[in-house]
Amino acid sequence: MDHHNPELESRRSGSFGRLSAASSSRRRSLSTSFSLPRHADDGIESESVSEAGDIGDRALHSTRVSASGRSHFSLENFAESGAVVPVQDDTGASFPVAPDLENISPLSVDAMVQNGEKKIDEKEVPWLLGYITCLLSLAVFGILGILVRYGLQNLFGPDVIGATSDRSYMYPDLPSNMVGSFLMGWFGVVFKADIMKVSDQLAIGLSTGFLGSLTTFSGWNQKMLDLSVNGEWIFAVLGVVIGLFLVAYSIIFGIETAKGLKWLFHRRPNARPICSCFGDSISHKYYCLTTFMVMLLLTLALLWSVFGALEKREFDSGSSEAQLFLACMVGPLGVWIRWYLARLNGRGLGRDAALKWMPFGTLAANVSAACVMAALATLKKAVRSKECNTVASGVQLGLLGCLSTVSTFVAEFHAMRESKHPWRAYAYAAITIVVSFTLGTLIYSVPVWVRGYD
């Protein structure tokens, strides 16, 4: 072009948000592109913040990811790809026209994105293969998260280091919640885009499967209920405040250290960009994804077989090992439910999509897991049998521990604190904690007080 137009260059630098084939709406993420009304810009930011932690199976439709982990589709790349925009004349007939970046209108965005999605979908492997592989990845990494969480509980518990206790605001799951939040800064924020270049299923398995299962909100809430039911309200309040403070700064520390490592990596003279091990051709992607799926399937079958045999042998003993083996068998179900609920993040409520900034999927997973956790705690006090304690504790440790998450919760909390509306972070945290604790009190504390359970 003969004349350099800064405003045009700014418009060209805009990018479209994640292209979701499962979603009927076309969401736009335009940082400096078209002149959008303030309320539209706020809506885009609210949606991005709400999706900061997880968006469930909608992530499988992502094709390009930015450094923040969100997919982008630039106007320049769209034009260079040879895509066309369907335009209608006065008679209603449509004909293809190449997009003019200088005079492009926001009204043509939807048509461009739809046309681009059609081209992208033609180059992708079968969706069902990717979906099944993702479920297997979530299950395998979820079991690994349970094992690490259980190990950290025992390592920092009274019998070894002695840093945590059931009767203290330093609750047993605090170390795993801090470690998971720290690693979320690495694998769920800074390096997530790089991991997705290798494999979407691996990225989802690490962030949603492993880190989501390593951390648990329902276990945190239940320990605060145990403190309050014994009259130790100060410890309960301290457990909530200190727990939130520590996990919030754990993810910040994780993000900063990951950024430093990434900077050092790119400073290397022979540093090369990360490339997908699945290759570019559809046949190579299909082969690699199929191989990955078979490996995960065999691993999951082996894990379930081993833990099933160990659970059969240890069940009658009522030991903590019996609870762990059962937890590893039912844990994947909790991961799958949470992953499915995460599709509600960024959607809002009603036809007008109100409150898009609120991650309703994560909120529903944490609150529902906390309520069921409280119900099982009440059941254990009421029944008082070795078998009931083993089953209930195994479900609490596995299914409910994986259904609820602190790593995703704190990632969303951090994104809200960094947004234009930081108050939303504290509102989101307060709603999650207050609702969970209130319902838990009604389900667990009130029956214990009324019945006089020890």
Side-chain angles (χ1 to χ4, degrees):
M1 296 183 63
D2 297 334
H3 300 285
H4 181 73
N5 189 335
E7 182 179 356
L8 174 59
E9 294 299 324
S10 177
R11 290 208 310 266
R12 286 184 178 182
S13 66
S15 59
F16 295 97
R18 175 178 281 106
L19 305 180
S20 175
S23 173
S24 60
S25 63
R26 299 294 181 262
R27 301 177 301 279
R28 306 178 183 91
S29 175
L30 306 170
S31 56
T32 57
S33 52
F34 304 113
S35 299
L36 295 176
R38 181 177 296 274
H39 70 274
D41 184 57
D42 290 342
I44 293 169
E45 183 192 35
S46 298
E47 183 178 6
S48 300
V49 167
S50 184
E51 295 177 347
D54 195 4
I55 59 170
D57 55 4
R58 288 158 54 202
L60 290 179
H61 305 288
S62 172
T63 57
R64 293 186 62 192
V65 289
S66 67
S68 64
R70 288 179 58 83
S71 304
H72 287 79
F73 194 81
S74 67
L75 293 180
E76 289 184 348
N77 291 333
F78 190 91
E80 292 172 0
S81 67
V84 295
V85 180
V87 179
Q88 288 187 345
D89 58 15
D90 296 336
T91 64
S94 61
F95 55 93
V97 176
D100 182 3
L101 294 182
E102 295 187 27
N103 302 310
I104 192 169
S105 167
L107 297 178
S108 64
V109 169
D110 285 345
M112 294 174 63
V113 173
Q114 291 174 10
N115 187 278
E117 280 191 28
K118 184 177 180 180
K119 286 181 173 291
I120 291 169
D121 290 340
E122 293 173 353
K123 300 179 181 179
E124 290 300 313
V125 296
W127 177 81
L128 183 60
L129 176 62
Y131 199 92
I132 294 175
T133 305
C134 193
L135 291 177
L136 294 173
S137 180
L138 288 168
V140 172
F141 281 101
I143 292 174
L144 180 60
I146 295 173
L147 294 173
V148 176
R149 171 157 45 95
Y150 179 82
L152 291 174
Q153 284 181 358
N154 288 276
L155 176 62
F156 288 91
D159 296 335
V160 185
I161 296 179
T164 61
S165 171
D166 288 328
R167 303 299 300 271
S168 170
Y169 55 85
M170 301 292 287
Y171 58 96
D173 288 317
L174 180 59
S176 60
N177 284 346
M178 291 178 62
V179 172
S181 298
F182 173 83
L183 294 177
M184 190 67 173
W186 279 56
F187 304 124
V189 179
V190 177
F191 292 114
K192 186 174 184 178
D194 298 316
I195 299 172
M196 291 183 72
K197 291 178 182 178
V198 177
S199 168
D200 288 343
Q201 288 74 20
L202 178 61
I204 293 172
L206 281 173
S207 59
T208 303
F210 175 66
L211 299 180
S213 301
L214 173 59
T215 61
T216 172
F217 177 84
S218 58
W220 177 14
N221 184 76
Q222 186 58 42
K223 292 306 176 184
M224 299 307 104
L225 289 173
D226 289 335
L227 292 174
S228 65
V229 80
N230 293 324
E232 298 174 337
W233 288 95
I234 295 179
F235 277 4
V237 174
L238 287 175
V240 171
V241 175
I242 294 177
L244 181 61
F245 176 85
L246 291 177
V247 297
Y249 277 91
S250 293
I251 192 173
I252 293 175
F253 185 53
I255 292 174
E256 294 302 320
T257 54
K259 284 181 178 179
L261 181 63
K262 194 170 187 178
W263 179 82
L264 290 175
F265 177 79
H266 288 296
R267 292 279 295 179
R268 293 174 55 194
N270 298 325
R272 297 180 180 179
I274 298 177
C275 300
S276 174
C277 63
F278 285 15
D280 296 326
S281 65
I282 183 66
S283 59
H284 189 59
K285 287 182 178 179
Y286 184 87
Y287 172 77
C288 291
L289 194 58
T290 303
T291 303
F292 189 40
M293 182 193 70
V294 172
M295 291 174 58
L296 290 171
L297 181 60
L298 293 176
T299 303
L300 181 61
L302 177 63
L303 289 173
W304 269 343
S305 299
V306 172
F307 289 126
L310 293 174
E311 175 63 22
K312 183 178 180 181
R313 188 185 68 182
E314 296 290 335
F315 181 80
D316 293 334
S317 67
S319 62
S320 60
E321 287 78 12
Q323 299 170 10
L324 173 63
F325 301 147
L326 178 60
C328 291
M329 296 178 64
V330 300
L333 179 59
V335 183
W336 292 334
I337 295 174
R338 172 163 49 83
W339 187 59
Y340 184 80
L341 289 175
R343 61 164 43 206
L344 301 176
N345 294 338
R347 293 299 182 87
L349 293 176
R351 302 179 66 178
D352 297 332
L355 300 175
K356 294 180 72 173
W357 60 271
M358 178 67 72
F360 286 104
T362 306
L363 178 65
N366 283 339
V367 172
S368 60
C371 291
V372 179
M373 178 82 77
L376 290 178
T378 306
L379 180 65
K380 288 194 295 185
K381 286 186 174 293
V383 175
R384 290 187 176 279
S385 70
K386 185 184 299 183
E387 293 78 9
C388 177
N389 184 72
T390 300
V391 173
S393 298
V395 172
Q396 286 178 321
L397 177 64
L399 191 151
L400 300 178
C402 293
L403 174 58
S404 63
T405 175
V406 169
S407 59
T408 303
F409 166 77
V410 77
E412 296 157 350
F413 178 83
H414 176 74
M416 292 179 189
R417 286 182 65 244
E418 298 294 319
S419 69
K420 296 179 181 178
H421 308 282
W423 62 268
R424 291 175 175 174
Y426 302 99
Y428 171 49
I431 291 172
T432 303
I433 294 172
V434 171
V435 172
S436 300
F437 190 84
T438 301
L439 293 177
T441 300
L442 295 175
I443 297 172
Y444 173 70
S445 302
V446 172
V448 170
W449 290 329
V450 172
R451 295 287 185 178
Y453 296 136
D454 295 332

